[in-house]
Amino acid sequence: MRHIISVLMENEPGALSRVVGLFSQRNFNIESLTVAPTEDETLSRLTVTTIGDDRVVEQITKQLNKLIDIVKVVDLTEGDHLERELMMIKMKANNGTVRAEIKRTADIFRGTIIDVTPNTFTVQLVGASSKLDAFIEALGTANIMEVVRSGVSGIARGEKVLSV
Amino acid sequence: MELLSGAEMVVRALRDEGVKFIYGYPGGALLHIYDAIFTQDDVEHILVRHEQAATHMADAYARATGKAGVALVTSGPGATNAVTGIATAYMDSIPMVVLTGQVMSHLIGEDAFQETDMIGVSRPIVKHSFSVQRPEDIPEIIKKAFHIAESGRPGPVVVDIPKDMTTPTERYEYEYPKSVKMRSYNPISKGHSGQIKKAVDMLLAAKRPVIYAGGGVIMGDASQELIALAKELGCPVTNTLMGLGGFPGTDPQFIGMLGMHGSYEANMAMHHSDMILAVGARFDDRVTNGTDKFCPTAKIVHIDIDPASISKTIKADVPIVGPAQAVLKEMLEQLQAAKSTPSAESLKTWWEQIEEWRGRHGGRYNTNDSELMKPQQVIEMLSKVTNGDAYVCSDVGQHQMFAAQYYKFNKPNRWINSGGLGTMGFGLPAAMGVKLNFPDEEVVCVTGEGSIQMNIQELSTISQYGIPVKVICLNNQSLGMVRQWQDMNYESRHSQSYMKSLPDFVKLVESYGHVGIKVERYEDLEGAMREAFAMKDRMVFMDIAVDPFEHVYPMQVPRGSMRDMWLSKTERT
Ligand SMILES: Cc1cc2nc3c(=O)[nH]c(=O)nc-3n(C[C@H](O)[C@H](O)[C@H](O)COP(=O)(O)OP(=O)(O)OC[C@H]3O[C@@H](n4cnc5c(N)ncnc54)[C@H](O)[C@@H]3O)c2cc1C
Ligand SMILES: Cc1ncc(C[n+]2csc(CCOP(=O)(O)OP(=O)(O)O)c2C)c(N)n1
Ligand SMILES: [Mg+2]
C-alpha cells in the first residue's frame, strides 16, 4: 500500500542525507521525496511517499524515528489528510487542433497554461498524484516533451498538526 | 573562564568525561591535537600499529564496562582504517566515540590531501555523527557524542574535526557541559506497566516457557534482574552469542546458547515452547533460522529498548519498549504481587523433557577420531584453569563457537566477541583494551591461526605498553569455519581455506619480546596452560595444534526450523 510519511527534522547539514541513506541502506522504496524549511527556521519538513506492506512501513517509521536529527514522524495515510503535488508539463503544440485539445483538457483538470511559444504549451497542474497521472493519460504521451513533478506534500485534515 | 584552543578542548573534554585511555594513531590533520595530548597526563594515549586495532580496543573497553571507548584517527586512510571497527561496534550496539581528523574546512570538497568524506563513509554504520563547524562547539559536541553513544540503544558516534578547528593560537572559553538536552533524542527510561502486566499474566499461564536473553541484558546491566526473574519463574534460560554471561553458565536453569550453533536442548526448547520471553535480543537470522518455521506454538513477549528491533523479523505478541533492567525489575515485582504462581506440575513436565534432550545430545564431541587434540578440549581446559572468570576475547571462526559453547561464563561483560559483523582480527586488540583497563584480571584472546594474522602487528603495541594478555590460538592450519561449510555444502572442495606458509608463532612472538609455547599433545595442555597463566606480567602466546577436520555442532539446517540440526558429521534431527 502507498503511504505518505511526514517528517520534521532539525535543519542541520547532513540530516537529509541520513534520511535518504536510510532508505537505500534498508532497502525501503521511495516514490517521491520533498523537503523544505518550515516557519520555524530550525526545522525542515520532509514528505516521503513509499509503497510497502504494514511490516515494512512500521519499520520505516521506527527507523526514521531513530535518526537523531529527526524530531517527529507521522504516517499521514493513517488518518484523514490532504495531499498535493505540482506538475509542470511541456508539450508540442504546433497546430490549432492540438492547441485547442490541450487547452480544453487543462481547463477540465483546472490546470493553467503558464508558458506559450509558437510550438509549445507549458501547463501547470496541482492536485493529488492520481489526478496528475490522469491528466497525462488523458493527453497521451505522444506530445509530451518534458514532465516535472514536485513530489507529494501532505497535511492532516482538521485540527491535527505536526509540530514540536 | 579558562581559554583553550580547539585541540586543548578536545583533550580536556575527554578528561572531564572521565576518559582514562584513548587509542589512536597520529597524522597531519591531528598534529594540533597530538601536541595538546603531549602537554598533559590526565588522558593516556595508546599508540596502536593500525587504526583498526584502536577501534577494537575502544570497543572492547566498552563491552567490559558499558562506557564508551574512545579512538582517535587521522583523516583519509586513518579514518578509513577505522571503518571496520566502527561497523563492528555498530552491529553489536556498542558505545564508542571515534574522533577523526579532517582537512581544513576551506579545503573540504576539493579532493585535498588525505581528504575522505568520513561523515558520508560512516553514515550507515554510526548511531550519529558530528562535523565540527566552530571550535567553540567542541565541548558540547563531545558531551553529546558520549550521551548518544551510551544511552538508549548504544552505538558508535563519529566526531569529524577539521584541522583549523584545533588551531593552537585561537583560544575560546572552555566549560564542559554537565548534561545535554536534545529535543529530538529522548531515550526511554521505563516500560509500559500495562504491557508488563500482560506479559506477567502470560508467564503465569505458560506451560513451556523459555527466557531468550541477548546482548541487551549485558549492555543494559540487567543480569541481576534477569537472574532474579528466572529464579522466581524456575524456567529455562538460553542466551544468544551476545548474551552469554548474562545468566550464569553453570546454573542448572541455563540450557546453553541457542541458534545456528546453539545447544540441542536450547533449540529444542525454543521450538517446543508455548511462550518465549525475549529480553534485549533481536531475533537475528543466526538465531531464528527459517522465520516462517520459527517456534510454531510460542507466544512472544519482546522487551527491547529499540522499538525497531521489535517485530522486525518475528512478530511480537506483546511488545515492551524499555530498558531491560527497569522492565525486568517491574516484571518481578508484579509477579511477586500476583495471586497465582506458574503451575508446578507443568513446569516439572517441561523440565523432564528438557533434561531428556540435554541427556541425549548435550555438549558432546568425539575425541577418538583423531590423533590430535580437539579444540573443544582446549576450551574446556581454559574454562577449568581460569574458573570461568576470565575475560575471554574471541576472534571469529570455529574457535569462537567452541569458546561460546564450552567456556562456562559466570559473569556478564566477560565474553567479548564480534557477533553481528563477525570481524576476524577483533580478538587481540579487544583483549588488549580490556587488559589495560583491568590489569589485575585474567584476560585471554581465543583465536585461530587465520584471525590472529589480521591484527598480529599489535604484538608490538603489547611490547610498548606491557599488556600481558594470554593468547590461546587454536591452530587447525585452516580457515576452519570456511572449510566446514565447504565440507558440508561443496563436497569438501577446500577452495582457498587452507593456510599455507604459516609463521612459526613461537619465534614470531619471541621476536617482539613475548613468550611463545607450542602444545601438540593433550597430555601437555594443562601444565602448559597453568604455566602460561602463572606468568602474570608476560604476554604469552599458546600455539595449540588441534584437529583440522573438526566441525562445530550442532549446526542448524539452513532455512529449517530451530529444531532442524546436524548433530555430528553423520547425525541429523
Ligand atoms: C561465526 C558466527 C556464528 C554465529 N552463530 C550464532 C549462534 O549460533 N547463535 C547466536 O545467538 N548468535 C550467533 N552469532 C551472532 C549473531 O550473528 C548475532 O550477532 C547475535 O545473535 C545477536 O545477538 P542478540 O540478539 O543478543 O542481539 P545484540 O546484537 O546483542 O543486540 C542487542 C539487542 O538488545 C537491545 N538492547 C540494547 N540495550 C538494551 C537495554 N538496555 N535494554 C533492552 N534492550 C536493549 C538492542 O536494541 C538490540 O535489539 C554468530 C556470529 C558469528 C560470527
Ligand atoms: C575480516 C573477515 N574476513 C573474512 C571472514 C569470513 N570468515 C569467517 S570465519 C573464517 C575463518 C577463520 O579462520 P581462523 O581464524 O583460523 O579460525 P577457525 O575457523 O579455523 O577456528 C573466515 C575467513 C570474516 N569473518 N572476517
Ligand atoms: Mg584456523
Side-chain angles (χ1 to χ4, degrees):
Chain A
M1 199 185 124
R2 177 169 171 273
H3 290 254
I4 304 172
I5 295 169
S6 259
V7 175
L8 277 183
M9 62 184 192
E10 300 286 359
N11 195 357
E12 295 275 348
L16 178 60
S17 72
R18 289 184 215 275
V19 173
V20 176
L22 176 74
F23 274 75
S24 64
Q25 173 186 1
R26 297 205 178 258
N27 216 358
F28 300 148
N29 135 298
I30 298 184
E31 291 279 298
S32 81
L33 174 79
T34 68
V35 59
T38 64
E39 81 289 358
D40 175 347
E41 63 183 27
T42 65
L43 289 171
S44 308
R45 178 147 176 163
L46 179 145
T47 312
V48 51
T49 54
T50 183
I51 292 176
D53 59 26
D54 289 351
R55 192 182 67 92
V56 171
V57 174
E58 183 179 325
Q59 269 296 309
I60 292 176
T61 52
K62 285 173 166 180
Q63 295 291 353
L64 280 170
N65 260 313
K66 265 170 77 172
L67 293 178
I68 307 288
D69 287 330
I70 286 188
V71 187
K72 283 239 163 99
V73 179
V74 56
D75 181 353
L76 287 175
T77 16
E78 278 179 355
D80 275 349
H81 65 280
L82 298 161
E83 78 166 270
R84 291 292 180 271
E85 186 176 2
L86 173 111
M87 172 166 75
M88 291 183 281
I89 176 164
K90 190 177 286 183
M91 278 166 293
K92 260 185 260 157
N94 48 11
N95 66 59
T97 343
V98 175
R99 288 172 94 93
E101 170 71 13
I102 294 173
K103 175 87 179 62
R104 196 170 52 247
T105 315
D107 285 345
I108 295 168
F109 281 82
R110 299 215 198 125
T112 329
I113 295 171
I114 55 172
D115 188 45
V116 178
T117 73
N119 291 317
T120 65
F121 269 176
T122 301
V123 178
Q124 167 191 303
L125 197 64
V126 174
S129 308
S130 53
K131 173 173 152 180
L132 310 191
D133 296 340
F135 181 71
I136 293 176
E137 200 168 314
L139 281 168
T141 49
N143 288 320
I144 295 179
M145 297 168 71
E146 192 176 352
V147 174
V148 188
R149 295 172 73 146
S150 63
V152 174
S153 291
I155 194 163
R157 274 187 188 277
E159 297 185 6
K160 247 198 272 169
V161 292
L162 182 62
S163 66
V164 289
Chain B
M1 224 181 279
E2 211 176 347
L3 293 182
L4 296 180
S5 72
E8 289 165 334
M9 284 198 278
V10 170
V11 181
R12 190 65 70 84
L14 294 176
R15 182 199 79 175
D16 291 346
E17 190 57 46
V19 173
K20 255 177 62 199
F21 292 106
I22 59 175
Y23 318 92
Y25 208 85
L30 291 181
L31 286 172
H32 299 326
I33 295 179
Y34 271 87
D35 199 48
I37 289 173
F38 192 78
T39 52
Q40 55 84 53
D41 46 28
D42 297 314
V43 179
E44 189 180 348
H45 180 273
I46 303 296
L47 179 70
V48 292
R49 299 298 179 265
H50 186 296
E51 288 86 351
Q52 184 187 347
T55 54
H56 293 331
M57 288 180 80
D59 167 317
Y61 163 76
R63 290 178 200 247
T65 62
K67 294 210 276 294
V70 183
L72 175 64
V73 298
T74 194
S75 69
T80 54
N81 271 352
V83 166
T84 300
I86 299 171
T88 302
Y90 179 75
M91 288 299 280
D92 291 340
S93 307
I94 303 303
M96 178 156 93
V97 173
V98 180
L99 307 171
T100 56
Q102 185 52 279
V103 301
M104 305 253 201
S105 324
H106 69 275
L107 294 176
I108 290 178
E110 297 185 354
D111 303 317
F113 176 63
Q114 295 196 326
E115 179 186 357
T116 297
D117 171 12
M118 191 54 185
I119 297 291
V121 167
S122 66
R123 204 212 67 245
I125 50 169
V126 294
K127 183 167 173 189
H128 196 55
S129 51
F130 294 94
S131 163
V132 177
Q133 316 266 331
R134 302 183 315 159
E136 55 269 43
D137 294 343
I138 287 174
E140 183 172 330
I141 288 180
I142 291 187
K143 182 80 207 173
K144 279 185 179 165
F146 277 91
H147 172 60
I148 292 170
E150 290 174 350
S151 58
R153 177 176 184 167
V157 176
V158 163
V159 180
D160 201 41
I161 313 173
K163 189 172 185 182
D164 52 321
M165 298 295 118
T166 59
T167 312
T169 49
E170 290 164 22
R171 302 178 158 271
Y172 306 86
E173 289 190 346
Y174 171 83
E175 188 180 12
Y176 195 60
K178 287 196 180 53
S179 62
V180 280
K181 251 190 92 71
M182 302 171 73
R183 63 176 168 187
S184 60
Y185 178 67
N186 297 296
I188 189 160
S189 61
K190 97 184 254 314
H192 187 282
S193 299
Q195 292 292 94
I196 297 175
K197 169 86 173 54
K198 273 193 213 161
V200 166
D201 290 344
M202 282 165 69
L203 282 168
L204 289 169
K207 294 195 168 65
R208 299 183 306 279
V210 180
I211 298 180
Y212 148 46
V217 169
I218 309 286
M219 276 297 124
D221 194 15
S223 179
Q224 288 315 314
E225 288 74 11
L226 174 68
I227 296 168
L229 184 81
K231 292 289 151 197
E232 180 74 20
L233 290 166
C235 66
V237 180
T238 176
N239 279 147
T240 66
L241 181 71
M242 303 314 294
L244 292 172
F247 192 79
T250 47
D251 191 294
Q253 270 172 261
F254 186 60
I255 55 172
M257 180 171 83
L258 81 172
M260 179 179 277
H261 294 299
S263 73
Y264 176 73
E265 54 271 34
N267 287 344
M268 293 299 277
M270 284 290 286
H271 184 85
H272 294 279
S273 70
D274 68 347
M275 179 186 169
I276 294 170
L277 176 62
V279 193
R282 58 186 174 83
F283 293 84
D284 184 78
D285 50 285
R286 291 228 151 172
V287 165
T288 58
N289 208 7
T291 46
D292 52 332
K293 304 190 184 92
F294 180 75
C295 303
T297 48
K299 286 258 179 275
I300 295 169
V301 174
H302 190 175
I303 305 169
D304 203 290
I305 201 158
D306 178 3
S309 274
I310 299 179
S311 299
K312 183 173 66 179
T313 60
I314 298 287
K315 186 139 184 61
D317 296 292
V318 180
I320 305 177
V321 180
Q325 195 187 60
V327 174
L328 290 177
K329 199 156 168 257
E330 185 170 346
M331 203 170 259
L332 181 63
E333 284 161 8
Q334 287 198 22
L335 207 57
Q336 285 167 338
K339 298 211 170 48
S340 59
T341 51
S343 148
E345 192 59 29
S346 18
L347 204 58
K348 185 162 164 282
T349 319
W350 184 218
W351 271 114
E352 279 163 10
Q353 173 63 74
I354 292 169
E355 292 304 346
E356 196 262 321
W357 286 325
R358 179 146 48 192
R360 199 174 338 154
H361 291 295
R364 275 189 341 190
Y365 55 91
N366 188 355
T367 48
N368 301 324
D369 61 355
S370 160
E371 294 285 287
L372 283 159
M373 227 181 299
K374 291 288 175 173
Q376 297 93 325
Q377 293 179 294
V378 180
I379 302 294
E380 287 195 312
M381 184 62 76
L382 179 67
S383 195
K384 178 175 153 197
V385 169
T386 58
N387 297 320
D389 275 343
Y391 284 86
V392 178
C393 305
S394 179
D395 260 307
V396 172
Q398 289 184 320
H399 60 273
Q400 175 188 25
M401 292 301 111
F402 292 133
Q405 292 175 332
Y406 291 96
Y407 196 93
K408 300 288 169 236
F409 293 96
N410 281 323
K411 294 181 186 154
N413 303 89
R414 294 195 173 218
W415 164 238
I416 291 181
N417 83 134
S418 164
L421 201 66
T423 308
M424 288 172 70
F426 176 81
L428 183 61
M432 292 159 61
V434 175
K435 184 68 185 177
L436 264 174
N437 287 280
F438 296 92
D440 300 330
E441 300 279 347
E442 227 41 281
V443 182
V444 183
C445 164
V446 171
T447 186
E449 78 304 318
S451 293
I452 192 68
Q453 293 191 75
M454 285 217 178
N455 269 320
I456 192 99
Q457 76 287 343
E458 297 309 315
L459 289 171
S460 170
T461 311
I462 294 178
S463 313
Q464 181 172 352
Y465 297 95
I467 312 173
V469 298
K470 305 291 179 275
V471 173
I472 305 291
C473 180
L474 301 184
N475 192 337
N476 56 7
Q477 300 187 40
S478 66
L479 301 176
M481 188 53 97
V482 174
R483 180 187 183 124
Q484 171 167 351
W485 283 63
Q486 290 170 337
D487 284 339
M488 296 176 78
N489 301 319
Y490 300 89
E491 297 166 323
S492 295
R493 289 188 296 279
H494 295 151
S495 177
Q496 308 297 320
S497 58
Y498 177 64
M499 283 231 142
K500 289 207 174 92
S501 64
L502 284 174
D504 178 334
F505 285 110
V506 171
K507 281 198 191 135
L508 180 73
V509 302
E510 281 173 358
S511 79
Y512 284 98
H514 308 310
V515 180
I517 302 178
K518 200 171 167 74
V519 184
E520 281 165 320
R521 297 182 320 166
Y522 184 66
E523 303 84 82
D524 302 334
L525 182 64
E526 180 161 7
M529 212 180 256
R530 292 201 184 276
E531 190 191 333
F533 281 100
M535 288 183 254
K536 291 280 174 216
D537 54 355
R538 299 301 297 278
M539 186 275 181
V540 184
F541 189 108
M542 297 191 71
D543 183 17
I544 305 172
V546 296
D547 178 11
F549 301 104
E550 187 61 356
H551 285 178
V552 182
Y553 292 111
M555 178 158 173
Q556 281 174 335
V557 178
R559 288 177 294 281
S561 71
M562 286 212 69
R563 71 169 163 184
D564 297 324
M565 291 170 266
W566 284 98
L567 299 169
S568 71
K569 286 183 185 167
T570 51
E571 295 162 276
R572 245 192 84 158
T573 52

